[in-house]
């Protein structure tokens, strides 16, 4: 339970997006090239309205300059600093690879695409990194259903 906003402020009479929607959780994903995985998780962010399409290219660009592999079978792709203007709202998208997928020679079982407005991306990165260090977290995440992954991630406080 890691991604729930404190309070539900509405700005300009528009409802703020939640940080995670159930449709942004994909389990039992099949291994693919790293760029394809980044584009797939980025497209989920686009489809949910968190980012403009060009943010996905910025996610790929980030990976070319600095790996988003965090250790413990987890990668956290996100855009380069210049792409901040392409973020409409903070959000995440999750892909789970029970058999792993190659991330520059490292095996990754969970990919969490991140878009964070302002400094929220740092909070999101921090929370995800902390939870990944918890005993059995990755094991549980990899074996969970989409609903269970959603429930694991949706309730905590980030912003």
């Amino acid at each position: 339970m890691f991604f729930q906003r404190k309070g539900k402020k509405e700005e300009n009479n528009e409802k703020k997006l939640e940080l995670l929607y159930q449709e942004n959780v994909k389990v039992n994903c099949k291994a693919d090239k790293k760029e394809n995985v980044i584009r797939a998780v980025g497209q989920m962010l686009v489809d949910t309205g968190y980012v403009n399409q060009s943010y996905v290219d910025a996610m790929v660009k980030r990976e070319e300059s600095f790996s988003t592999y965090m250790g413990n079978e987890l990668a956290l792709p996100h855009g380069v600093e210049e792409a901040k203007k392409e973020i409409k709202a903070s959000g995440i998208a999750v892909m789970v690879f029970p058999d792993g997928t190659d991330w520059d020679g490292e095996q990754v079982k969970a990919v969490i695409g991140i878009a964070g407005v302002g400094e929220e991306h740092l909070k999101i990165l921090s929370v995800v990194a902390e939870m990944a260090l918890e005993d059995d977290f990755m094991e549980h995440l990899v074996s969970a259903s989409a609903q269970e992954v959603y429930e694991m991630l949706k309730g905590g406080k980030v912003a």
Side-chain angles (χ1 to χ4, degrees), residues 49-70:
Y50 295 120
V51 300
N52 293 321
Q53 187 67 48
S54 58
Y55 186 77
V56 179
D57 292 328
M59 293 172 77
V60 172
K61 185 177 178 183
R62 158 78 66 196
E63 197 65 38
E64 290 169 356
S65 63
F66 186 79
S67 178
T68 57
Y69 176 71
M70 304 303 289

Side-chain angles (χ1 to χ4, degrees), residues 56-111:
V56 179
D57 292 328
M59 293 172 77
V60 172
K61 185 177 178 183
R62 158 78 66 196
E63 197 65 38
E64 290 169 356
S65 63
F66 186 79
S67 178
T68 57
Y69 176 71
M70 304 303 289
N72 201 24
E73 301 179 319
L74 174 68
L76 304 175
H78 54 284
V80 292
E81 189 66 29
E82 307 87 72
K84 289 283 217 184
K85 64 187 180 301
E86 301 303 324
I87 301 171
K88 301 177 197 177
S90 295
I92 65 171
V94 182
M95 295 178 73
V96 179
F97 298 84
D99 296 325
T101 192
D102 180 65
W103 209 268
D104 293 332
E106 300 289 347
Q107 178 169 284
V108 168
K109 292 194 174 182
V111 175

Side-chain angles (χ1 to χ4, degrees), residues 136-145 148-149 152:
D136 302 327
F137 175 79
M138 287 301 290
E139 183 179 319
H140 183 63
L141 184 77
V142 169
S143 63
S145 69
E148 290 168 331
V149 171
M152 286 171 65

